[in-house]
Amino acid sequence: GLSALNWKEVLEFQARLERKAARADTPELRAAARLINGDASDGAFRNFALGLVASGQRAYDAALADADSLADFLAGEPLDGYG
């Protein structure tokens, strides 16, 4: 886990996480967030994008290629876990 990392490694992890979340900020994924969670405001989308990153590389890559692929990874639960 993150507790085993030194502060520099934690900051590098955070930077990679933020870059991946920012890369997911596309009109198609904003629309998907609105459909899935009922909200695509900046804060709600950030949670959605972080949830997408946490869903794993396969789900993340598929969603960036085609937002409709999210249907294959969702089991009726909001992607950010809060909706």
Side-chain angles (χ1 to χ4, degrees), residues 11-82:
L11 292 176
E12 290 169 353
F13 173 84
Q14 180 68 33
R16 283 192 308 273
L17 178 67
E18 295 293 342
R19 279 193 303 272
K20 283 191 169 280
R23 186 169 171 232
D25 193 353
T26 66
E28 296 82 10
L29 287 175
R30 284 255 179 188
R34 191 174 301 106
L35 287 171
I36 293 166
N37 293 335
D39 188 4
S41 64
D42 288 342
F45 185 77
R46 183 173 190 284
N47 289 339
F48 176 88
L50 291 172
L52 178 58
V53 173
S55 293
Q57 191 70 47
R58 195 173 120 240
Y60 176 83
D61 289 343
L64 263 60
D66 178 11
D68 289 341
S69 71
L70 288 170
D72 297 334
F73 294 95
L74 298 175
E77 296 296 321
L79 194 56
D80 68 3
Y82 295 105

